[in-house]
Amino acid sequence: MEPSGVPAEADWRSHRSAVFGAAYRILGSVAEAEDVTQEVWLRAAAADLSGVRDLRAWLVTVAARASYNVLGSARVRRESYVGPWLPEPLLTVPDAAAQVLVDESVSTAMLVVMETLTPAERVALVLHDVFDFPFARIAEVLGSTPAAGRKLASRARARVAAVKERPRASRAETERLLRAFKAAADAGNMAELVELLHPEAVYVADGGGRVTAARRPVHGAGTIALLAVRQIEIRRPDAFQIVEVNGQPALATYRGGELVWLDTVEIADGRITTLRRLANPEKFSHIGHI
């Protein structure tokens, strides 16, 4: 800490990932988490921090409060969102601009379930289970009591338990299935696509009303396979690459150097059980082009 109480640049750099990580887990949005992170820095720069013993805890607390406020208005916007909502993807390769400690709490599957929680439940769960905050501190953020915070976290934990209990495929298996799915879709090989998909697989697409995308989840291997082939025929992508998103491999598909969609999957017994396709260009502008 500098004598004035303003956080030194080195101190801020060492804690920035925690600030961003708290905001992203609560909000599920890279853009909104970056805005919160900037707000936290400005508040820290204007505050007298000479009496702060735990700078990381202070910064994360401010981030949680700001995120809680943002989430209230964000949920109103998401109620009118066109079609399914998927979280903004977070690049988790070593040289990514916004690095956080990668764990199950930032997986796409977890963030999708987090979206079903109330704002208070999300904050309580993230602060307690990820950042090990005591419920007394959580109560200060939420303007409640420690007992209420404990109930909120418990209720949220029960909701996300199913995601934690699912078997998680290895990176190698995930990448193999993504490449095989892409090759089969490009070739129009329906039989191969059906073989790669679980018979009761689910396809969820997020176009946000910006591009054409299924506005409801699609069920069944045969239907998903047909949809995948038709989308290749319509969009005619010409390149792809495997990127690491939210701690797991994802398939980025391009046309003319522009990202057209990003696929993430859940796998069980060697087959794809859930295919999530993010096609809303507003949500992957930070990923870049090739």
Side-chain angles (χ1 to χ4, degrees):
M1 298 290 293
E2 294 179 345
S4 63
V6 176
E9 188 67 25
D11 292 320
W12 171 248
R13 285 199 304 269
S14 67
H15 297 306
R16 187 187 187 284
S17 62
V19 172
F20 177 87
Y24 179 70
R25 287 171 171 89
I26 293 170
L27 296 168
S29 165
V30 172
E32 290 173 342
E34 288 287 8
D35 288 344
V36 166
T37 301
Q38 180 65 17
E39 180 181 342
V40 171
W41 165 247
L42 293 175
R43 289 190 183 185
D48 180 6
L49 303 179
S50 57
V52 173
R53 295 183 178 181
D54 187 340
L55 180 60
R56 180 178 183 272
W58 187 92
L59 293 169
V60 170
T61 298
V62 175
R65 286 198 186 106
S67 299
Y68 185 42
N69 294 334
V70 170
L71 194 56
S73 59
R75 287 182 71 85
V76 173
R77 294 195 303 273
R78 289 173 192 175
E79 286 175 359
S80 60
Y81 194 80
V82 179
W85 179 93
L86 293 176
E88 282 189 26
L90 177 68
L91 286 173
T92 48
V93 291
D95 60 348
Q99 261 300 288
V100 294
L101 292 175
V102 179
D103 57 27
E104 195 173 36
S105 67
V106 297
S107 70
T108 301
M110 181 64 73
L111 291 174
V112 167
V113 176
M114 290 281 283
E115 181 66 11
T116 68
L117 306 179
T118 67
E121 287 172 343
R122 292 178 76 156
V123 171
L125 183 68
V126 169
L127 290 184
H128 185 266
D129 287 22
V130 178
F131 291 92
D132 200 28
F133 271 36
F135 286 112
R137 176 66 68 88
I138 294 171
E140 294 175 6
V141 173
L142 297 176
S144 64
T145 65
R150 186 176 291 105
K151 288 181 180 179
L152 288 166
S154 177
R155 192 159 60 228
R157 200 175 296 119
R159 296 281 293 277
V160 304
V163 175
K164 292 186 175 183
E165 292 170 0
R166 294 175 195 166
R168 194 169 184 179
S170 67
R171 292 172 186 268
E173 183 180 20
T174 301
E175 183 171 338
R176 179 185 65 80
L177 283 173
L178 285 170
R179 290 183 181 277
F181 186 89
K182 173 64 174 171
D186 285 348
N189 190 333
M190 289 286 295
E192 179 64 20
L193 285 170
V194 169
E195 183 62 28
L196 292 168
L197 292 159
H198 188 278
E200 298 178 1
V202 180
Y203 167 89
V204 180
D206 179 348
R210 302 292 180 178
V211 298
T212 301
R215 297 194 176 186
R216 292 185 177 86
V218 177
H219 299 264
T223 307
I224 297 171
L226 180 60
L227 181 60
V229 171
R230 285 181 175 174
Q231 288 185 332
I232 292 292
E233 293 172 347
I234 293 170
R235 299 300 297 273
R236 297 189 181 280
D238 53 28
F240 78 96
Q241 64 178 343
I242 300 294
V243 296
E244 184 178 293
V245 168
N246 296 80
Q248 284 292 302
L251 179 68
T253 301
Y254 301 83
R255 181 181 180 184
E258 299 287 336
L259 185 60
V260 293
W261 62 65
L262 186 73
D263 292 339
T264 56
V265 295
E266 290 183 51
I267 297 166
D269 299 324
R271 286 184 164 186
I272 297 170
T273 57
T274 303
L275 171 63
R276 297 186 177 95
R277 176 160 291 178
L278 181 61
N280 184 347
E282 291 186 348
K283 290 189 174 182
F284 48 59
S285 58
H286 60 285
I287 292 181
H289 314 292
I290 60 171

